[in-house]
Amino acid sequence: MAKELNMDIGERYSISVMAFFVPYIILEIPSNIAIRFVGTSRWLSSIALLWGLTMVSMSYIDTWQGIAGTRALMGALEAGFFPACAYLVSCWYTRREMQLRLACFYLMSVLAGGFASILAYGLYTLDGKAGRSGWRWILFVEGLITVGLAVVAYLLIADFPDKNRFLTYEETKLIIHRINADRGDAEYDQMSWAKFRSYLLDVKIWCFGLLFFGSTVPSYAIASFAPIILMGGGRSVVQSQLLTAPPFVASVVFALITAYLCDKTGKRSLYLIGQAAL
């Protein structure tokens, strides 16, 4: 891709990477508000469908500006996906049950990132087939896989507890009672400008955001630039893709153990400090 689209000129690659995060940051809050009105299965499956179609379209792009533009579109879609999934999980489980479940959800993307490198290695062997470069095959096939999973997601994703259709009235009441007994926020809280301002002025939210920022920047840097760094060290495209996978797999094991201990002990700060120091 770098040679074919001249992305190694100036800061083109970095600009294309950055384009993803601008709409991602701007649209996260509006997206989490919208999901209550659209419905989780329709919202999340539609995002996955559009994400897959965007990846397929990227395989036909011939300019670096096109890559940057579709990356921005993917950032807008991602803004409605990850925060919504975390929000949905938090509506079903108590605080002592969430850490491991959120870790499993988040680590699926981490593990997928690791195995995507292996899949990319396999797909890259199609380089030259039907007159298409290896990177185009990677985007095309992985995009089609995402489209297929989006259809399955529409059939399987559950809605919020107060809107679900698979539990009885008594079972739903029990879920809501457990959440209220734990933290008293099972009922949907209507958004208003006064509440929005109060949330913006809450120092704790900014502190947690700063913690998340500090941990996410290096993880995204590794995910986005590891293959480039490895190739810069003299390794081939294939070797770089394969060597990107092991760190993701190792992180899954460590994170699952940590998440289990956090839920078991109810202690979060010690693990956060330890991981940040590490």
Side-chain angles (χ1 to χ4, degrees), residues 206-216 272 276:
W206 289 99
C207 289
F208 281 121
L210 185 60
L211 285 171
F212 189 65
F213 175 84
S215 62
T216 304
L272 284 172

Side-chain angles (χ1 to χ4, degrees), residues 140-161:
F140 182 79
V141 174
E142 291 186 355
L144 289 181
I145 293 173
T146 305
V147 169
L149 291 174
V151 176
V152 177
Y154 178 76
L155 301 174
L156 297 181
I157 293 177
D159 211 326
F160 293 100

